[in-house]
Amino acid sequence: MAYRIALCEDEEFYRNELVQMLNRYSEENQDCFEIYSFKSGEELLEQYSEVYFNILFLDVEMEGLSGIGAAEKIRTQDENVVMIFVTAYEDFALEAFRVSAYQYLLKPVKYENLNMILNRVLNQIRINTIHKGLTEQFISVESTDGIIQLHTDDIIYIEKIKNRVDYHTTHRIYQSYDTVKSLIKRLNPVDFVQINQGEIVNWKKVKDISDNTILVGDVELQISRKNKKKLKERYDRDVMKTMAKKLMDKVE
């Protein structure tokens, strides 16, 4: 599975150290992490609504808006993200409870502790994903033809054109009115990926990725500069996993 992880830490040393540990965990466990780093609570909140996150690491003590303050604001718009606080102090249990934090890590963060928490968190996310799978096979769309239920496997990509949303499916194009922010929250983040400001693709339909474009079905779409590296890395990992599986199947 692919997971989107945000970490908010105002000290560059701790921020880079945590990124390195997350990358190590990703490689050791063959999980795909899309990691977003933020230097302040204000910066995190400014961009939070644009991306759906599975896990959020928050430094408790930061200049300006604290981690607890940022968490309180985030909880008003996102009840599902798993929050993990990073702190030099243990005495903040009440504040953590108030924003439904999952756990905390003490600085300096030890890889063994991060490993243990991630094992538990990702296992719970996988279980929740399985339970939600049946309902997430369909998405309700209020189209110009009335309210319809689209099977997510039929969707190739979704395109925002001014105030209109076009669902490009294997059968036809359905037109609706929605926002990208709302769509991202309703769609499974593992299967649907935002490639630029106005387009979301079904990752299962991706056939190739070049420097600036992504081939989805038979359609070539532009990738934004900020998403290009992460999407290419994820695609390359998926290709390698597929090749390895085919080799193993031949051996068996």
Side-chain angles (χ1 to χ4, degrees):
M1 290 180 64
Y3 306 91
R4 290 197 187 101
I5 299 177
L7 57 96
C8 188
E9 164 65 67
D10 61 351
E11 295 187 56
E12 185 177 5
F13 172 80
Y14 288 118
R15 193 167 60 247
N16 292 339
E17 185 178 57
L18 192 52
V19 168
Q20 291 174 4
M21 290 185 186
L22 289 170
N23 285 329
R24 176 182 169 185
Y25 183 95
S26 175
E27 292 174 5
E28 290 179 354
N29 295 274
Q30 296 185 330
D31 285 312
C32 178
F33 288 168
E34 294 180 22
I35 303 172
Y36 296 74
S37 297
F38 301 95
K39 301 175 184 177
S40 68
E42 290 83 356
E43 183 184 8
L44 170 66
L45 289 176
E46 184 179 338
Q47 299 185 44
Y48 193 87
S49 61
E50 299 178 5
V51 183
Y52 174 94
F53 293 108
N54 300 105
I55 304 171
L56 175 58
F57 289 88
L58 276 167
D59 181 23
V60 174
E61 297 290 331
M62 293 186 289
E63 291 187 10
L65 186 65
S66 69
I68 296 292
E72 288 176 336
K73 293 180 181 297
I74 287 170
R75 271 292 178 244
T76 63
Q77 57 178 305
D78 190 346
E79 298 178 355
N80 299 316
V81 64
V82 176
M83 292 184 180
I84 301 171
F85 285 109
V86 182
T87 178
Y89 309 98
E90 294 189 59
D91 188 21
F92 74 105
L94 183 61
E95 290 85 353
F97 177 77
R98 192 169 66 243
V99 293
S100 303
Y102 181 84
Q103 186 58 276
Y104 68 89
L105 287 166
L106 284 176
K107 290 182 178 180
V109 175
K110 295 181 179 179
Y111 180 72
E112 313 86 77
N113 296 335
L114 176 68
N115 190 302
M116 179 180 64
I117 288 177
L118 279 176
N119 283 342
R120 277 186 280 180
V121 169
L122 297 182
N123 185 55
Q124 188 59 54
I125 290 175
R126 292 185 190 105
I127 292 172
N128 292 343
T129 300
I130 291 171
H131 287 318
K132 290 170 64 180
L134 292 175
T135 57
E136 289 184 345
Q137 288 178 0
F138 293 88
I139 181 172
S140 180
V141 175
E142 189 173 351
S143 74
T144 52
D145 299 326
I147 298 177
I148 59 173
Q149 297 291 323
L150 285 181
H151 198 293
T152 54
D153 283 347
D154 290 336
I155 300 172
I156 300 171
Y157 71 99
I158 304 169
E159 181 180 24
K160 176 74 173 176
I161 304 173
K162 294 185 178 179
N163 65 336
R164 191 185 83 220
V165 171
D166 287 355
Y167 292 81
H168 296 258
T169 75
T170 53
H171 310 297
R172 53 168 287 191
I173 299 174
Y174 293 92
Q175 294 184 344
S176 179
Y177 295 91
D178 209 336
T179 63
V180 173
K181 175 182 175 181
S182 172
L183 282 171
I184 285 294
K185 288 186 176 181
R186 291 167 59 203
L187 294 165
N188 186 334
V190 176
D191 295 333
F192 287 89
V193 179
Q194 186 173 356
I195 61 169
N196 56 47
Q197 191 172 6
E199 290 176 323
I200 301 168
V201 302
N202 185 341
W203 192 256
K204 295 176 182 177
K205 307 292 185 183
V206 174
K207 294 181 178 178
D208 191 24
I209 294 182
S210 63
D211 288 340
N212 300 304
T213 61
I214 184 169
L215 183 62
V216 189
D218 298 322
V219 181
E220 200 170 58
L221 304 172
Q222 291 293 315
I223 305 174
S224 67
R225 185 179 302 174
K226 71 174 184 178
N227 291 326
K228 181 170 60 175
K229 182 180 178 182
K230 294 180 185 296
L231 293 177
K232 188 67 169 68
E233 288 176 350
R234 177 178 174 181
Y235 179 76
D236 289 343
R237 279 194 294 267
D238 286 354
V239 170
M240 292 299 293
K241 287 179 183 178
T242 301
M243 291 175 61
K245 186 177 184 304
K246 287 181 178 178
L247 286 173
M248 290 297 293
D249 291 343
K250 286 183 178 179
V251 172
E252 293 177 357

